Amino acid sequence: MSAQMNRAQSSNGWLKTYYYLRFAVSAAWVLAAVTVAKAVPTLAVVMLVAYPLWDALANYVDAQRSGGLGRNRSQLLNFAVSIITAIAVAIALGRGMNAVLAVYGVWAVISGAFQLLTALRRWKISGAQWAMILSGAQSALAGLFFVKMAGGTEAIGIANVAPYAAFGAFYFLVSAVWLSVSDILRKSPQAVR
């Protein structure tokens, strides 16, 4: 087995676990946002600040497992932007949900671009990156929509952010399942021998 193939399998094993975890956390966040948090403002505040912090932590851990932040500049930048976003959301909460949605919009554009860059970098050694590219592009488009929506007069709450997180969860699940099926297909001919 070649060194590149070993590296790809090792990378795919970590990414599969990582993508399933990202899916689970995002799905739980969405469920809480559309059920409990929309009626409990204190919980909504905590969740709105926690979501970019979770993204920062996830990018940090993934980068560490993939050679460190120094080798993964797009994740380093995504980590930094997500920390700054959490702080900006905490500040924006004092101005209202329109301001929070605007911050989320800018974050979605920037983090989506960094996610897309990370997926492009991984394209040759890891599977399921097409879904991460789509996710990054859709994140950027959703961010533009958020910024436009934040300038309107419509009442905004945590439920407005939930579809963004739901699409992220969907793409992480697609990537995880794609990697799982790829592993099964790759191992099945070996099992027959």
Side-chain angles (χ1 to χ4, degrees):
M1 197 179 291
S2 72
Q4 185 174 9
M5 190 178 243
N6 279 338
R7 201 170 358 124
Q9 286 178 348
S10 172
S11 173
N12 283 350
W14 159 247
L15 285 178
K16 187 170 41 174
T17 301
Y18 174 67
Y19 291 155
Y20 277 124
L21 178 62
R22 293 287 310 252
F23 160 73
V25 171
S26 293
W29 191 94
V30 169
L31 184 62
V34 298
T35 57
V36 182
K38 69 180 185 178
V40 182
T42 306
L43 179 59
V45 164
V46 170
M47 288 177 61
L48 286 165
V49 173
Y51 194 70
L53 287 175
W54 158 246
D55 191 72
L57 176 63
N59 272 287
Y60 176 80
V61 170
D62 182 34
Q64 292 303 103
R65 292 292 303 256
S66 306
L69 289 171
R71 286 188 54 205
N72 299 289
R73 302 286 170 142
S74 58
Q75 287 184 292
L76 168 64
L77 294 169
N78 212 348
F79 168 76
V81 165
S82 294
I83 295 286
I84 292 166
T85 298
I87 295 165
V89 166
I91 294 166
L93 281 162
R95 300 188 68 204
M97 278 304 296
N98 288 60
V100 170
L101 193 63
V103 170
Y104 259 85
V106 172
W107 175 54
V109 170
I110 296 169
S111 69
F114 290 141
Q115 181 181 10
L116 195 149
L117 290 172
T118 299
L120 287 172
R121 178 179 45 79
R122 287 179 163 159
W123 185 268
K124 288 186 180 179
I125 60 164
S126 300
Q129 294 308 297
W130 61 270
M132 291 294 92
I133 289 170
L134 287 176
S135 178
Q138 185 165 349
S139 176
L141 288 174
L144 295 173
F145 176 73
F146 279 176
V147 170
K148 182 176 186 260
M149 188 178 179
T153 56
E154 181 183 334
I156 295 172
I158 192 169
N160 295 97
V161 178
Y164 168 73
F167 275 109
F170 169 76
Y171 283 117
F172 282 119
L173 180 60
V174 167
S175 293
V177 169
W178 189 275
L179 289 173
S180 296
V181 169
S182 295
D183 281 352
I184 291 167
L185 293 176
R186 186 173 49 251
K187 291 174 184 174
S188 63
Q190 295 170 355
V192 174
R193 290 180 191 171

